[in-house]
Amino acid sequence: MKLRHLLALCGLLAAAALPAAAQEVTLKVHYHLPPTSFAGTLFIQPWCERIAKESANRMKCQIYPSMQLGGTPPQLFDQVRDGVADVVWTLPGYTAGRFASMEAFELPFMMRDPEATSRALWEYAQTHSQAEFKDVKPLAFHVHGPGVFHMAGKPVRTMADLRGLKLRAPTRLTNKFIAMLGATPVSMPVPQVGDALAKGVIDGAVVPYEVVPSVKLEELAKYHSETDPREAAFYTSTFIFAMNKAKYEALPADLKKVIDNNSGQAFSGQIGKAFVQADAQGKQLTAKNATNVIPASELVAWKKLGDKLSADWVKDMNAKGLNGSRMLEDARSLIAKQQAARP
């Protein structure tokens, strides 16, 4: 009898332990672009497929593109912090001034290579951005490819061509730089760009080529003006791929390991590399339109304005009690280090 009771007790204990060991988790993944966007097809969906495979399908994604969980793009960070979503992809710059440290990478003429710069951004964030992102579990920080002028009525060849035009820009610093170049900046998230162009609310938008299919820019913009590819990009934006902290901490150790193996500096670089591929595919869609390159000789004057904006930003950060000079120096040196490490 005692043996039978002992065996029964062991069976009960084993059964009780089974659900924890075989815990299944569904992650609600929320972002602002459509499912056909390059961000969705080249980065978010593949990430979800990897964590499902590496967890033996015990951890899966339920993906909500196009803000299907409600709210607006600037609210995505708060949604993952508060548990409305488990994972989000968003731009810190959508909430101007809230994530001041990230702005160092959004200054003009900082980025040459999205992969190297994304790796640098992850490293930089470990030193300068911990306080800003302490309420979430960052999975990656990255940037996109070079910004491009997508214009409805005329191309951009010189600074003078921008005077009097209304241009969409994504971040606080890009808005400032657009104004310094002579245009009127109009801040709006990417999903609003197509409607604004179609209605003539804006004359053009500065976005990378990867955005083209998401808002049908190949149909709405007749001209695409790039800056000389031998120069650093005139702008880029920073992004965060983040997880709800409580959701992560509640995972069993083996599922945490799956998340950890699919986050961090290497993953950030992989996203940057995916955006290079996305730019190439997005540019193909604009082949029927007119494309021009703004030459390096023209960009000399632009760079002087960019240097002034950078100096003003350092003063602004110092006034907030941050070390603006150190932040900018670290951003530049980390980008250079990662660029030099590329094969």
Side-chain angles (χ1 to χ4, degrees), residues 98 103 111 308:
R98 181 174 179 181
E103 291 185 334
M111 191 277 298
K308 182 180 185 308

Side-chain angles (χ1 to χ4, degrees), residues 164-179:
L165 298 182
K166 293 175 291 184
L167 289 184
R168 176 271 178 185
T171 66
R172 186 177 79 93
L173 291 179
T174 313
N175 274 275
K176 282 180 173 287
F177 192 46
I178 290 295

Side-chain angles (χ1 to χ4, degrees), residues 151-153 193-195 197-198 215-222 289:
M151 310 300 296
V193 168
D195 191 52
L197 270 172
V215 292
K216 301 188 185 305
L217 277 177
E218 74 277 18
E219 300 173 10
L220 297 167
K222 297 179 181 179
N289 299 336

Side-chain angles (χ1 to χ4, degrees), residues 11-274:
L12 288 172
L13 290 173
L18 184 60
Q23 179 179 344
E24 294 187 359
V25 176
T26 299
L27 300 177
K28 295 180 292 184
V29 180
H30 200 203
Y31 65 105
H32 56 291
L33 293 182
T36 54
S37 65
F38 289 125
T41 60
L42 296 180
F43 146 48
I44 295 173
Q45 184 64 41
W47 182 84
C48 287
E49 291 170 356
R50 283 199 305 275
I51 66 165
K53 181 178 180 180
E54 293 176 21
S55 68
N57 286 321
R58 288 173 47 220
M59 187 161 52
K60 300 178 182 178
C61 294
Q62 191 167 359
I63 302 177
Y64 296 90
S66 303
M67 300 304 300
Q68 289 177 359
L69 285 178
T72 63
Q75 295 172 329
L76 280 164
F77 183 85
D78 288 339
Q79 288 183 352
V80 76
R81 180 198 64 191
D82 298 338
V84 174
D86 299 316
V87 177
V88 301
W89 176 66
T90 189
L91 291 82
Y94 274 176
T95 48
R98 181 174 179 181
F99 304 100
S101 68
M102 292 282 102
E103 291 185 334
F105 281 70
E106 296 177 343
L107 287 162
F109 302 104
M110 291 288 288
M111 191 277 298
R112 291 180 180 273
D113 176 340
E115 181 178 358
T117 304
S118 296
R119 292 179 65 91
L121 180 57
W122 175 270
E123 188 172 351
Y124 169 94
Q126 309 316 301
T127 300
H128 294 287
S129 308
Q130 292 284 349
E132 291 174 348
F133 299 105
K134 63 181 174 56
D135 295 326
V136 300
K137 167 71 174 174
L139 304 177
F141 294 101
H142 73 94
V143 299
H144 62 52
V148 177
F149 293 92
H150 304 273
M151 310 300 296
K154 66 175 185 178
V156 176
R157 294 190 173 91
T158 68
M159 196 186 304
D161 292 327
L162 292 169
R163 290 177 192 152
L165 298 182
K166 293 175 291 184
L167 289 184
R168 176 271 178 185
T171 66
R172 186 177 79 93
L173 291 179
T174 313
N175 274 275
K176 282 180 173 287
F177 192 46
I178 290 295
M180 293 171 78
L181 292 173
T184 299
V186 181
S187 184
M188 66 178 67
V190 162
Q192 298 175 15
V193 168
D195 191 52
L197 270 172
K199 293 180 178 177
V201 174
I202 55 176
D203 300 298
V206 289
V207 294
Y209 275 118
E210 61 88 9
V211 171
V212 167
S214 299
V215 292
K216 301 188 185 305
L217 277 177
E218 74 277 18
E219 300 173 10
L220 297 167
K222 297 179 181 179
Y223 304 95
H224 309 276
S225 301
E226 309 168 7
T227 51
D228 191 321
R230 295 170 297 181
E231 302 289 334
F234 89 94
Y235 102 93
T236 191
S237 295
T238 61
F239 295 77
I240 182 173
F241 191 53
M243 186 171 181
N244 176 265
K245 190 175 244 184
K247 188 77 171 185
Y248 172 80
E249 291 175 349
L251 294 175
D254 60 333
L255 294 188
K256 278 184 182 176
K257 189 173 187 301
V258 171
I259 295 294
D260 293 344
N261 289 345
N262 288 280
S263 61
Q265 186 177 41
F267 178 47
S268 298
Q270 290 167 12
I271 301 173
K273 186 176 182 179

